Amino acid sequence: RLDQPLEMPGLDQPRSELQLHRDLTELARQNRQAAQAGCFLGGGGYDHFIPAAVDYLAGQGAFVTAYTPYQAEASQGALQAFFEFQTQVCRLTGLDVANASVYEAATATAEAVMMALHVTGKRRVLVANTIHPHIRAVLRTYLADLAVDLIELPAAAGRIDTETVRDACDQDTACLVIQSPNVYGLIEDWSGHFAAAHQSPTSNHKPPLGIALFNPIACGLLKRPGDCGADIAVGEGQPLGIPMQYGGPWLGLFAARKTLMRKMPGRLVGQTIDRRGRRGFCLTLQTREQHIRGAKATSNICTNQGLLALRATIYLSAMGPHGLREVASQCYHKAHHAAAQIAALDGYDLAYAGPFFHEFVVNCPVPARAVIDAGRQRNILPGLDCAELGIGTENQLLIAVTEKRSAADIDALVDLLQRVPADRNVPV
Amino acid sequence: RLDQPLEMPGLDQPRSELQLHRDLTELARQNRQAAQAGCFLGGGGYDHFIPAAVDYLAGQGAFVTAYTPYQAEASQGALQAFFEFQTQVCRLTGLDVANASVYEAATATAEAVMMALHVTGKRRVLVANTIHPHIRAVLRTYLADLAVDLIELPAAAGRIDTETVRDACDQDTACLVIQSPNVYGLIEDWSGHFAAAHQSPTSNHKPPLGIALFNPIACGLLKRPGDCGADIAVGEGQPLGIPMQYGGPWLGLFAARKTLMRKMPGRLVGQTIDRRGRRGFCLTLQTREQHIRGAKATSNICTNQGLLALRATIYLSAMGPHGLREVASQCYHKAHHAAAQIAALDGYDLAYAGPFFHEFVVNCPVPARAVIDAGRQRNILPGLDCAELGIGTENQLLIAVTEKRSAADIDALVDLLQRVPADRNVPV
Amino acid sequence: MHQSPTNADFPLIFERGAPGARATDLPPLDVPKADLPDDLVADAPLALPEVGQLDLVRHYTHLAARNFSVDANFYPLGSCTMKFNPPLNEAAAALPRFTGMHPLQDDRDAQGILKILYQLRIWLATIAGLDEVSLQPCAGAHGEFTALKVIRAYFHDPDAANQPQRRKVLTPDTAHGTNPASCAMCGADVVTVPSKDGLVDLDALRKLVDDETAAMMITNPNTAGLFDHTITDIAKILHDAGALLYLDGANMNAIIGVCRPGDFGVDIMHYNTHKTFSTPHGCGGPGAGPIAVRQFLAPYLPVPQVEKRATGQASYKAATGGRGLPEYFLDHDRPKSIGRVRSFVGQSGVLLRCWAYIAALGPQGLRSVAQNAVLNANYLAARLRHRYATPYFDPDTSRFCAHEFVTVPKDLLDKGVTLIDIAKRLVDYRIHPPTMHWPVHDCL
Amino acid sequence: MHQSPTNADFPLIFERGAPGARATDLPPLDVPKADLPDDLVADAPLALPEVGQLDLVRHYTHLAARNFSVDANFYPLGSCTMKFNPPLNEAAAALPRFTGMHPLQDDRDAQGILKILYQLRIWLATIAGLDEVSLQPCAGAHGEFTALKVIRAYFHDPDAANQPQRRKVLTPDTAHGTNPASCAMCGADVVTVPSKDGLVDLDALRKLVDDETAAMMITNPNTAGLFDHTITDIAKILHDAGALLYLDGANMNAIIGVCRPGDFGVDIMHYNTHKTFSTPHGCGGPGAGPIAVRQFLAPYLPVPQVEKRATGQASYKAATGGRGLPEYFLDHDRPKSIGRVRSFVGQSGVLLRCWAYIAALGPQGLRSVAQNAVLNANYLAARLRHRYATPYFDPDTSRFCAHEFVTVPKDLLDKGVTLIDIAKRLVDYRIHPPTMHWPVHDCL
Ligand SMILES: Cc1ncc(COP(=O)(O)O)c(C=O)c1O
Ligand SMILES: Cc1ncc(COP(=O)(O)O)c(C=O)c1O
């Protein structure tokens, strides 16, 4: 028990609202806003257009300041929104059931793997090494203390080969995790890989589960996980109307085949009928599953990403099928336009030849760092350094192009890339 | 009847939401944000602190997108808020009744004068020439075609003398309009002036009405119009939680003594009791007075500034009596601190010796324009050019200091003023 | 689920909180205190609410929950067209480089907003089919007032009409109350023109127009929801007598992009941006009431006017360097102007939203707004006409309405049901009731 | 005034709108189209809603109206402390220079947010009375998981504890379900410790602790609202046996600034920012679950860690010129770390609001939060105890509660009233019902 208030460095007095406003404005000034014309950063987080209705509607106090919808009568609004969210995630992924969100993509993937281990009772986990390095790192942490073998499948030319999958699957394999578009932006052959896994020899009639790590924007245009044989689909929901906000809070998407429903982690909203025959919604299956299953629980998630799920719901409703398809195809065409122009520059070429969605790796004639530093002077963020991210060499740049970039923005990027090698020869 | 769509310059295609977002962001970039550390602009609009709750609460769709509260059952929320607004304006001014807002200060003043003409049946209007020039200009426009004499009372040392008032009031005088703090920031002697007017000889037992043009922030600290004998008080509500937004929409405040209630322009919300004895609110007295009075109406105002009135209500509720007093006294002390430092600079002095609130005129050793131009380079807006505003000479600067300015901001202003004359002697 | 509410459930903000409570605060004063003479200071603190931030938020959240709005409800109102307010417009208007602008800032530091105002001025003139626009007026009624001042200035101008005796302004008997009220404020003599079948009675009009007539104010489509197809005849009658035709633009929603007031004889008119161009109604305001005029009336428009320098003269780029004149500027130098009708520049924040609405629609979009409004109103009238009399609507004789219509629920009234009953029942269904008893008695 | 609602009143978003309707749009594609292989493309468009913007707004406005929230209602919840969410924090977190930040931006371009995270790290350590903090975990349960990983890494470290046999984790029978679930996820063996009179049974504990025990997880004040004054005894029992004490910080609201977990023997703990530090609950998330540890556990914390370079080494000013190292940075180089527990930097947007809440209160303010919460809960318990049994509360024998309390409405239950009835009646009065049947049966 303390006799007096704590001594907190840099905080002796309470700050008035005006002071706090000043301080936060000044701290914001010390950040560069990536989300603007010159942003070509990707690697898991993307600068997509967010319709004003998303902020407007999700920002309502009735949603922001509401509690978890345990008490159904007091929470029909949130419950219905989450029910709509789940339905949308099902339609996005082509799977049967979806939960009301988990934290973000990496923990979603870890939860999916834990679920696969539980469902199959096996202990080998196959993970493509074309998966985002953060996600692979999280998987290593999650599986570290369990009696599980985590095996990374090597890529050839930036993609996984179905042969590799076939060779790696054995009787003891619980699941195969494939990301597409993968960390290099390349589109993987989910159908081939999952088919290979499903056809692998099995002892207990439980073939390895196919876990697809998807990008929800790509689902607006490309084949969906469910169409390609995935049993579980997990993904990062950030592109769906959620600002990048320095990495979080984002949104873990989680969907699965109907047969797996009872093993799904997280909250699930169901539809029901009241005494007067009117539709209503409530949390189902587990409501705080941990209370019931305790030490036998397979997941511990409680607080999820409700408000972000709401944003995604509003985003998808605003876009609709045609809007989402347009977002996805503009991403595709603009990225390909940028790639073609860059590949035509002296000294630059594309690192991989495979089909890609809205992100690609470029070999540069200079270190990627030099390009990035040059970009800072012109307020262009030309991409990510593949060596720093742990997915390539010093001279490789990972470039993402979303629908928000105009032809002029792309021209400015190309111009930057063209100048950097020359400028480096002239000492400033 | 047109066969085809109009040809509109600069607008051939509909703009998508993303395009419009881009365009508006770019257009905003071409403006300088005055409301920041270096802002010493006043002259009728002031950069005060706006608590976040004002934007948050007044920005609710249920207020922003609501219709005029003609239908009481569908508008109890707005009606109660306006009732609270009226009550606050009464307490701010020390008068008995207030309406639910008029457009802004100048038209409010014009409405007050029209009302005074009507109530007294007289035709002379006395207006201090220490009133903001825009307001005097609006009065000229409004009264131009009516058989009315508009007389401007001259000032001595920036303030009106009670002697001048006494001499000007005659049997035919309908009203006397005095602004305090006046356009130079000086505090006028309302009590003396209105007493002189009220005591002037009258034919019909209707002495001239005293119309006080007030600053609502000053009312948090200084004597109120009602305390000083005013019959009508009008003012600009912008300082009460309304952003300067390039001059509008702002908020006209209008209050009067009880005896004048039936002649008040604009909407008035009243309290009533429903069948079950519960309190309710509705528009009273006239609801669209124009329908009833038609050509005999004294005012034509219909749409008012509802949402801005709501902002002011929330602002005053957030501040409370002590908060508003603190805002006002910080304005006072900071302005006096700045004035003292500036008066101590070589070549600068205060133009007027009278008591002032948060704004004052400085004589500069160089044209005010030169100071303003120098300030632009450092993102300081040091004040207004009195010649341009029509209230003084080329070398006079009108400086306002609100509670938002810190001691450091004031030091930067003083430093700027000190350097300008010197810098001008050194050609760049 | 709900208790019947009592006063304690809906206290006034003054009845909440506790002495000393505050919802916000300032940093401590960081400069020395100056002398503050006692005689200037109020004796007691003001009797304002004293509440904490949670009480404040709850209070105005509860009030919001007790209000109808476009966001939540349907408003079948005509003249007071209640349009959807796009969230983007709200977000853009809230950008600090718009909200944080002082109205007396240097023009060079205001090129973005000035460009918006200038373009809007041009667009509104185009839509009107007229020559010049003033963005100054604060709302429709203020637009009427300003326009009447302009008309008067024109007739008083010795270099122009020079007919100061024209003091009469005609208004139809269906006119909105602001029309005669605006006349009264300007010292004009109001003369009422009778209607026939919901439209202006032309014979009566002919008799009333004379060489003391300054103008007629007309709402078209009118307040009964009818487009007055005799409008060109009306214009001719006035013009022949040397008088002007004023259009109250409250119902422009029904015709924008489809026909232009200038083409059917209007000389001067006002818009209500909060009706026609979706700027939010805000529980009754703010609005904006720009006026459009023919060239011969332009010199009299109020100051300031937003102007653009011809390209070549000075470009924005040069201007921002401080070395030239800015492209867009506020012009105060208009010798024949009626003067100021308000302080500063106008309802900039409202006009900005108006610009965004027009830009989003484009010329084609504007046209379809009017087409859809008219189609929907006629659809509803057709569905209702068998139960509710629609005096001015009869598709069998090609009498269609514009974007609103008048209905007299005669059957129901005969059974003892009152209009108020119908209105309250609509509220039960969360629909805002239409305007009642206006323009004819016992109508909706 | 309300009709009883039907399904048609509350349609799903899928049941609104019409084919082809959209609530937003993009500019036309302004680059040439690239080749898009057919076999990559989905066969049919997705079955997503097709609604216009007005439908969209109305729909989610209606849903909002059907939801309780702190802004509108009182929530007497304990562990899940529902705090007021200051609008300033929401506005600041929405600044484009916060929301628009990519997580892999250069540290030099992120000094503002990194400073916030670093200061928050230091403040949370100070409040805990512990040495280092990781801001990585996404919520409380994720904090538990991360902490258990840290504990395990410590016991497995050959250079440190080197006691890999310690696989047992004790949890009291009153523990929140996430505690054992987190253990299970980490492969630990969960052992339940019985309670006596609502507190941990010390004798039972002594018998259960052995050299295979890694730690005990305890919530204090516990889920019954009681501050366990034997906490230092519990710590001693564990420490004597070489095990660690973990604090579930869900109820920190009752003690922040008044006493420090580090002082009563806690080695490692988590916070729930969405409970203790007012980050909005958002209908169930997002949250953040920072963990605080003693120095000897610090090497195992997850990567990245936000760090500050000692002044003199490199200042921010130099850094922004691109010529030096930035003052604040993300450190990935922690060889003993358990690794990553999530992608990127953490729940930055949540942590920012947490920083603002602490900064607004200051040290003295934090202390009064706890003092007021305890005072208010005891006040309510005292008022209720004559009608509702309060098993763990009895002021006559100085048994007070912390910031929440358990009540068993025995009289009412005997009369046939159920807990659900009480809960629904509270909803009628627009008060959110407290947690039911937990931690003991038939309690609130
Ligand atoms: C026909 C008509 N004219 C004029 C007005 C007055 O416009 P405002 O309310 O914008 O002043 C209105 C609106 O109330 C109207 O409907
Ligand atoms: C005592 C206790 N521990 C842990 C948790 C889990 O925390 P979170 O929901 O943040 O994951 C909660 C909250 O639900 C709790 O009350």
Side-chain angles (χ1 to χ4, degrees), chain A residues 150-333:
Chain A
L150 178 63
I151 291 152
E152 291 204 358
L153 302 183
R159 300 204 295 162
I160 299 296
D161 207 284
T162 299
E163 231 27 68
T164 314
V165 171
R166 200 163 294 142
D167 294 348
C169 284
D170 70 6
Q171 296 212 341
D172 206 26
T173 302
C175 60
L176 167 70
V177 193
I178 307 276
Q179 176 183 347
S180 179
N182 70 23
V183 72
Y184 310 114
L186 301 171
I187 301 171
E188 298 270 9
D189 179 17
W190 273 335
S191 299
H193 303 339
F194 293 145
H198 288 153
Q199 286 151 19
S200 67
T202 147
S203 51
N204 61 353
H205 299 290
K206 292 192 174 160
L209 297 180
I211 301 178
L213 193 54
F214 69 100
N215 174 325
I217 297 292
C219 291
L221 178 68
L222 307 182
K223 289 210 156 43
R224 304 172 299 171
D227 301 336
C228 302
D231 301 293
I232 305 176
V234 288
E236 179 50 65
Q238 178 270 324
L240 304 176
I242 297 170
M244 297 187 292
Q245 42 192 355
Y246 206 49
W250 287 5
L251 172 66
L253 304 173
F254 199 114
R257 298 215 177 280
K258 200 183 293 158
T259 49
L260 300 171
M261 179 165 72
R262 299 201 157 259
K263 301 284 180 191
M264 278 222 310
R267 298 175 186 140
L268 212 81
V269 175
Q271 185 173 320
T272 130
I273 300 289
D274 78 2
R275 254 187 311 180
R276 281 186 273 173
R278 296 169 311 180
R279 178 167 60 194
F281 302 91
C282 63
L283 289 176
T284 54
L285 276 187
Q286 30 76 31
T287 314
R288 295 188 158 177
E289 63 159 7
Q290 309 83 328
H291 287 297
I292 300 151
R293 299 203 206 148
K296 272 176 250 26
T298 48
S299 167
N300 68 345
I301 189 168
C302 186
T303 290
N304 61 9
Q305 304 288 103
L307 199 62
L308 293 313
L310 177 68
R311 289 185 74 94
T313 313
I314 298 169
Y315 175 88
L316 288 170
S317 303
M319 286 293 170
H322 306 295
L324 192 68
R325 200 178 189 100
E326 196 177 323
V327 169
S329 59
Q330 289 212 9
C331 286
Y332 182 89
H333 295 300

Side-chain angles (χ1 to χ4, degrees), chain C residues 126-180:
Chain C
T126 309
I127 294 170
L130 293 170
D131 302 304
E132 196 167 331
V133 160
S134 168
L135 302 173
Q136 288 282 314
C138 303
H142 201 220
E144 296 170 18
F145 168 82
T146 306
L148 290 168
K149 287 281 176 191
V150 165
I151 293 172
R152 191 182 176 283
Y154 164 71
F155 283 119
H156 274 71
D157 185 352
D159 307 327
N162 196 19
Q163 299 175 310
Q165 84 285 4
R166 290 191 183 265
R167 297 176 43 87
K168 256 169 57 177
V169 177
L170 312 182
T171 59
D173 54 5
T174 57
H176 189 264
T178 51
N179 293 180

